[in-house]
Amino acid sequence: MKLIPSEKLELTTSFSVAELEEHLRENIQKHRSYKIGSIKKSNKYFVGTVFPGHFKCKKFTYQRNSFLPQVTGIFYEEPTGTKVATTLKIDSFVSIFLILFYAFIICAIFATIYLASYQKIEAYFILVPIGLLLLVFGIPHLGFNLEKDSTITELKKMLTV
């Protein structure tokens, strides 16, 4: 199991690269700043940008969700259509926060091992940082996997229409 949740996916579509870029521009809403009263309801499922040869987007929500998959895709022309290699990851800020938090918890594990060995505290205190490590490891994976399935389903719908 990965430390930071992510997934790679390859999809094939019958569109050419130019048609796919245009189709994605029609179905991906551009990023906007969220101010009170400025949110307009849209029927577009993704928000992001489309560049020549690749795109970056995420699922559109009105709430904040740290574990929402960030989708990046690269187009490859093939004889039968276009192959889209996509990567689903959590936001880079959340990834950095998780890595720092994992490092902090590992230091706490070593500190409790030291205290249990040399300072004669109860050995079961080591279970506290280990339990916290398991909790911090499980929550991002659970949140990412819950959102990943619906994102992949909508991405497949968008690329096959």
Side-chain angles (χ1 to χ4, degrees), residues 111-156:
T112 52
I113 289 172
Y114 172 78
L115 291 173
S117 300
Y118 297 108
Q119 302 295 324
K120 304 301 181 204
I121 66 166
E122 300 298 325
Y124 62 85
F125 278 117
I126 189 107
L127 295 177
V128 173
I130 291 174
L132 188 59
L133 181 66
L134 293 175
L135 184 72
V136 170
F137 184 75
I139 288 175
H141 281 78
L142 179 67
F144 179 80
N145 286 329
L146 289 174
E147 292 291 339
K148 174 188 73 168
D149 295 334
S150 65
T151 302
I152 290 173
T153 303
E154 288 299 322
L155 191 62
K156 285 180 180 178

Side-chain angles (χ1 to χ4, degrees), residues 57-108:
C57 65
K58 65 180 177 178
K59 188 170 104 173
F60 179 74
T61 61
Y62 291 105
Q63 310 92 314
R64 300 225 181 240
N65 186 344
S66 297
F67 307 119
L68 203 60
Q70 308 288 318
V71 181
T72 57
I74 300 172
F75 314 133
Y76 299 104
E77 188 75 41
E78 289 193 339
T80 59
T82 302
K83 182 186 255 183
V84 182
T86 60
T87 305
L88 284 79
K89 297 189 228 180
I90 58 176
D91 192 35
S92 58
F93 176 77
V94 176
S95 297
I96 292 169
F97 176 78
L98 285 173
I99 290 169
L100 291 174
F101 206 76
Y102 291 146
F104 174 75
I105 293 173
I106 289 170
C107 289

